[in-house]
Amino acid sequence: MDYFQAMKVFVRVVEAGSFTKVASDLGISRGSATILIKQLESHLGARLLQRTTRQVTPTLDGSAYYQHCLNILAEMEEAESVFSQSASHPRGRLKVDLPTSLARLVVIPALPDFYARFPTITLEVGVGDRMIDLVAEGVDCVVRLGALADSTLVARNLPALTQVTCASSDYVARFGQPSTLEELEGHECVEFLSINVGRLQPLEFCCDDRIELRQLRGRITARHGESYVSAGEAGLGIIQVPLYHVASQLRAGTLLELLPQYPPPKLPITVLYPHHRHLTPRLRVFIDWLVSVFSSDIAASR
């Protein structure tokens, strides 16, 4: 039995609560995963997992062994990074999750640069705006936009994103172009329901050293960035959005910037990873690379 492989499988089964999902994630058969765990339990002389028809959970012994496995696997990877020079030449697979628009418009187009620097790292990129369970789904890190709810995850802030207030040229032709915040009275917005904080987001404007909020009426509420921008492009109201998301539409004139003298505050962007996971060389260089991407003009400035 490969004890380290068995420990890796055991850790993932505890986190995912399923042999089937772990087998799929690790590229082995469900039967192989089951045999490894049985061999591990036989070797230790202890039952590690409680199996039911719906879920797999650790026993008391299993919970204690899980913590030991996390430490052992982290130390093993740290040792390999020292002696195999993987700190300077990191290798392996990373599973990351990105917001849809950010992946499509910023991160994926920049990936050739990442692979030129780190050709022995492979990425599995999940795209979406839903909240995910990193531990259960075996995700190494996620990138999230906006304010975050309380979390047990480790957070690293990336350079904040410049935002703009805009509306479609058709909307401006129908409702006019406001030149002051007071002239927003009577205008409509596309409402945005943040999945991070669970409430509608008002429009925000930087005025000297303060932020002014405006809650305009809206006839449509979007829950995701792509649909939010699409509603703005359709002339359904004013939107506030990161510049990268609408740069091409602003250049083409299909969207028009409004009230540039009162810009929205910059949008926080954060990369998150589980606190009990060792920050591996490949994860460290990926996060550092993200910092460089969001420090560039394409994502962080006008």
Side-chain angles (χ1 to χ4, degrees):
M1 177 183 63
D2 184 335
Y3 293 118
F4 286 117
Q5 176 68 1
M7 283 191 287
K8 289 179 182 179
V9 171
F10 170 70
V11 165
R12 287 295 299 121
V13 170
V14 171
E15 295 173 345
S18 165
F19 276 93
T20 301
K21 180 168 179 51
V22 170
S24 175
D25 288 346
L26 298 180
I28 61 177
S29 69
R30 187 183 187 282
S32 295
T34 301
I35 289 172
L36 276 173
I37 297 302
K38 286 182 176 178
Q39 290 176 336
L40 189 60
E41 289 178 323
S42 176
H43 172 72
L44 295 171
R47 187 175 185 181
L48 301 175
L49 298 172
Q50 179 69 42
R51 302 161 178 83
T52 68
T53 55
R54 293 187 176 183
Q55 193 175 19
V56 179
T57 57
T59 62
L60 288 176
D61 288 337
S63 294
Y65 187 63
Y66 169 75
Q67 295 299 325
H68 287 296
C69 286
L70 289 178
N71 295 332
I72 291 169
L73 293 173
E75 290 177 3
M76 176 183 173
E77 185 144 15
E78 179 67 24
E80 288 180 344
S81 73
V82 172
F83 293 105
S84 68
Q85 296 185 328
S86 65
S88 56
H89 301 286
R91 63 179 62 248
R93 172 177 169 271
L94 279 177
K95 188 174 182 180
V96 303
D97 192 82
L98 304 168
T100 304
S101 64
L102 205 68
R104 179 172 63 87
L105 297 171
V106 178
V107 177
I108 291 176
L111 281 179
D113 171 69
F114 178 79
Y115 285 126
R117 299 187 199 184
F118 308 107
T120 53
I121 295 178
T122 59
L123 295 175
E124 179 182 335
V125 180
V127 174
D129 298 312
R130 69 182 180 90
M131 301 300 291
I132 66 171
D133 185 331
L134 277 73
V135 174
E137 299 184 38
V139 175
D140 292 291
C141 71
V142 300
V143 176
R144 288 294 175 258
L145 300 174
L148 298 174
D150 291 340
S151 172
T152 59
L153 300 172
V154 178
R156 178 173 175 184
N157 294 326
L158 301 177
L161 300 173
T162 294
Q163 297 197 93
V164 293
T165 305
C166 54
S168 72
S169 55
D170 175 66
Y171 175 91
V172 172
R174 288 185 290 116
F175 290 91
Q177 184 163 354
S179 58
T180 67
L181 296 183
E182 288 69 27
E183 290 180 10
L184 286 171
E185 186 69 28
H187 278 269
E188 298 183 1
C189 73
V190 178
E191 294 184 326
F192 185 73
L193 182 62
S194 171
I195 60 173
N196 290 331
V197 297
R199 62 176 182 270
L200 293 175
Q201 299 293 99
L203 299 180
E204 299 180 321
F205 302 90
C206 292
C207 301
D208 298 325
D209 59 350
R210 69 186 190 281
I211 295 177
E212 292 279 347
L213 305 181
R214 291 291 188 275
Q215 189 73 63
L216 306 183
R217 68 188 180 105
R219 291 181 290 177
I220 182 171
T221 299
R223 295 175 59 90
H224 304 286
E226 294 281 348
S227 58
Y228 181 66
V229 172
S230 294
E233 291 179 296
L236 296 175
I238 296 171
I239 60 174
Q240 288 186 329
V241 68
L243 176 60
Y244 77 81
H245 204 157
V246 293
S248 62
Q249 296 95 315
L250 290 171
R251 288 193 296 268
T254 56
L255 288 176
L256 302 176
E257 184 176 5
L258 306 180
L259 300 166
Q261 70 274 36
Y262 303 114
K266 288 196 172 186
L267 184 68
I269 179 168
T270 311
V271 59
L272 304 160
Y273 57 92
H275 70 91
H276 66 269
R277 293 281 178 85
H278 179 59
L279 187 59
T280 61
R282 59 181 176 271
L283 180 55
R284 183 181 296 110
V285 298
F286 180 72
I287 293 174
D288 289 342
W289 176 78
L290 286 176
V291 171
S292 70
V293 168
F294 290 103
S295 298
S296 68
D297 288 343
I298 188 173
S301 62
R302 303 186 63 176

